[in-house]
Amino acid sequence: MSPRQDAFYMARAIQLAKRGRYTTDPNPRVGCVLVRDDVVIGEGWHVKAGLGHAEVEALKNVRDAQGATAYVTLEPCSHHGKTPPCCDALIKAGVSRVVTAMQDPNPLVAGRGLEKLKAAGIEVICGVLQEDAKTLNRGFIKRMTENRPFVRSKLAMSLDGRTAMASGESKWITSAEARADVHKLRAESSAILTGINTVLADDPALNARVAWDVVQPIRVVLDSELNMPVIARMAMLPGRSLILTCSEDDRRQQALQEIGFEVYRLASKKGQLDLPEVMSFLAAQQINEVLVEAGAVLNGRLLMENLLDELIVYMAPSILGDKGRGLFHLPGITMMADKRVLKLLDVRQVGGDLRLTLEPQENSLQFKKCLSQIKTDELSLEEITAEVEAVRQANHHGR
């Protein structure tokens, strides 16, 4: 097979993997294509945790895979989980070549699957359409490598950057089409995160209302003082609803647990929940992707603590005026040098609105803080950059 053919069949495998976008949590989304003599003889994808992995599903449809090439979007597993190792299935089937998009970041696998295939005499190629595969499973990868989920915040605003009137009235800034698009974001998320102030103001359901099968996201509310009403709508809905708190009010905690909430006490910082600890907790819950639907205070804290990986901003062609509420509460920003810079990744029209996809960039203030912690005398630019990155990583992990 030529590199072009490998890319072609891997693209098909990625298409198949996307079919599990709404159902595979906490597992990664994986697709597999079996090819022999430049003809597809089998296809499969991982549908749901506990069911067959993509390689096994592809082999089910093939009487004889002897000498075939298996294109898999993620390194085949070599460990026993809820299902047997996929490596063993491929070896037993007699495939002669395995092409993977990327190595599995799961430390239980981490290259072992590829080595097992090589030891069985199978030709192995890794890295075909790797970036596409990483994008598909960015939450799983983030959880495995950084012990936190991929965090995306959804925001809706007017043309002048307002999310609500001064009174808090916000229904509706954006179009029905934009709101329907948000439910797609919810459907592909492992959890939806909000703050208690949003719950008290809007009593949201925080579920995905779509026309296809979906594993409903876990609802997570940050409620430092346990102010959650016992009549909150989400408590009546099926699925998990979590309250994360630093309150020691056992009586209040028990009352909320009795109506269906799961309540967890986490570490605090200055009377508020420690957000990095929140992310570590969510990772321990096997949550891959978090969608934030919250107000300016929580979004501001997440942004300043570098916990937002992506922003989805729906911008409506309307003006709410300078007394309306803003997107982020950022009291620490007083100079242009402190501004937060975003990278624009995508723009598209949804109904009458624009949907902007953005990625936060680390700001110059953080660079200055890192720079102040190292001695720059007699260092080259490359050495200074390396030192700054090392300090930044140390600060990040030490938070």
Side-chain angles (χ1 to χ4, degrees):
M1 291 285 189
S2 68
R4 184 172 181 177
Q5 287 172 305
D6 285 344
F8 175 81
Y9 290 119
M10 186 60 74
R12 174 59 182 164
I14 289 173
Q15 282 184 330
L16 293 170
K18 288 179 179 178
R19 296 184 182 182
R21 183 186 298 255
Y22 305 108
T23 57
T24 64
D25 270 350
N27 290 352
R29 300 141 181 167
V30 184
C32 178
V33 176
L34 297 172
V35 179
R36 186 170 54 210
D37 299 327
D38 209 17
V39 175
V40 174
I41 62 172
E43 295 184 335
W45 67 93
H46 183 45
V47 176
K48 193 174 184 179
L51 300 183
H53 288 189
E55 300 92 323
V56 175
E57 293 301 309
L59 288 168
K60 275 184 183 179
N61 304 320
V62 181
R63 288 186 178 181
D64 177 20
Q66 194 75 28
T69 295
Y71 292 90
V72 193
T73 58
L74 192 66
E75 173 185 358
C77 64
S78 59
H79 65 289
H80 284 270
K82 292 182 179 179
T83 58
C86 295
C87 278
D88 293 355
L90 291 171
I91 294 169
K92 184 178 179 181
V95 302
S96 61
R97 188 167 176 262
V98 174
V99 180
T100 67
M102 62 174 289
Q103 183 173 298
D104 195 325
N106 185 343
L108 292 174
V109 180
R112 296 175 190 173
L114 300 180
E115 291 304 318
K116 189 172 186 178
L117 293 170
K118 290 176 183 177
I122 296 173
E123 180 188 354
V124 174
I125 294 177
C126 184
V128 177
L129 301 188
Q130 181 169 264
E131 291 308 310
D132 297 88
K134 284 183 175 180
T135 298
L136 182 62
N137 284 309
R138 55 193 181 177
F140 179 76
I141 294 168
K142 180 79 73 170
R143 178 164 68 88
M144 289 295 163
T145 59
E146 298 184 31
N147 192 38
R148 74 173 185 87
F150 183 91
V151 182
R152 164 199 275 169
S153 182
K154 183 276 297 181
L155 299 149
M157 70 176 190
S158 61
L159 189 61
D160 54 343
R162 303 299 169 181
T163 64
M165 305 303 293
S167 64
E169 180 188 358
S170 61
K171 295 182 180 179
W172 295 105
I173 292 175
T174 54
S175 64
E177 292 87 348
R179 298 196 297 277
D181 195 62
V182 170
H183 283 282
K184 294 178 184 177
L185 296 180
R186 289 182 176 184
E188 65 183 59
S189 301
S190 314
I192 302 174
L193 176 70
T194 193
I196 185 60
N197 290 337
T198 297
V199 175
L200 295 174
D202 301 333
D203 193 20
L206 299 184
N207 57 0
R209 298 187 283 279
V210 293
W212 55 85
D213 290 337
V214 60
V215 175
Q216 284 292 336
I218 299 169
R219 295 173 287 270
V220 182
V221 181
L222 304 189
D223 184 4
S224 296
E225 298 178 356
L226 284 183
N227 290 321
M228 175 67 74
V230 293
I231 58 171
R233 179 159 55 141
M234 67 178 71
M236 317 302 171
L237 298 175
R240 297 178 67 192
S241 295
L242 280 57
I243 298 174
L244 308 186
T245 188
C246 44
S247 169
E248 297 183 359
D249 189 335
D250 293 332
R251 187 172 60 84
R252 182 66 179 162
Q253 179 174 330
Q254 183 177 350
L256 290 167
Q257 289 172 329
E258 287 175 354
I259 63 170
F261 283 108
E262 298 176 38
V263 183
Y264 298 93
R265 192 176 297 164
L266 302 183
S268 64
K269 184 165 61 176
K270 297 181 180 179
Q272 296 179 311
L273 282 160
D274 185 301
L275 293 181
E277 286 296 320
V278 167
M279 296 306 162
S280 296
F281 171 84
L282 296 180
Q285 295 290 309
Q286 294 191 309
I287 289 172
N288 292 333
E289 297 187 23
V290 171
L291 180 65
V292 178
E293 296 195 32
V297 173
L298 179 53
N299 271 302
R301 287 189 63 203
L302 289 167
L303 183 66
M304 291 308 292
E305 296 199 43
N306 292 320
L307 294 172
L308 289 182
D309 299 298
E310 186 176 87
L311 303 173
I312 304 291
V313 181
Y314 295 88
M315 185 171 69
S318 60
I319 304 292
L320 298 187
D322 61 359
K323 289 185 172 52
R325 299 185 180 183
L327 291 171
F328 297 94
H329 178 63
L330 301 170
I333 291 184
T334 57
M335 300 184 297
M336 286 297 289
D338 300 337
K339 68 184 179 183
R340 293 310 310 261
V341 177
L342 308 175
K343 181 180 180 181
L344 185 60
L345 303 177
D346 183 71
V347 182
R348 63 187 61 202
Q349 186 167 350
V350 179
D353 307 314
L354 288 182
R355 188 181 78 178
L356 313 177
T357 303
L358 305 114
E359 181 182 79
Q361 308 293 294
E362 292 196 7
N363 63 1
S364 58
L365 179 61
Q366 292 170 315
F367 182 89
K368 291 175 185 175
K369 286 180 178 178
C370 291
L371 200 61
S372 68
Q373 296 178 51
I374 64 175
K375 296 179 180 180
T376 59
D377 294 344
E378 299 180 0
L379 289 179
S380 68
L381 178 59
E382 290 78 10
E383 290 171 327
I384 291 173
T385 303
E387 289 284 341
V388 168
E389 178 61 15
V391 171
R392 188 190 68 80
Q393 290 289 346
N395 290 346
H396 173 77
H397 293 298
R399 281 197 306 238

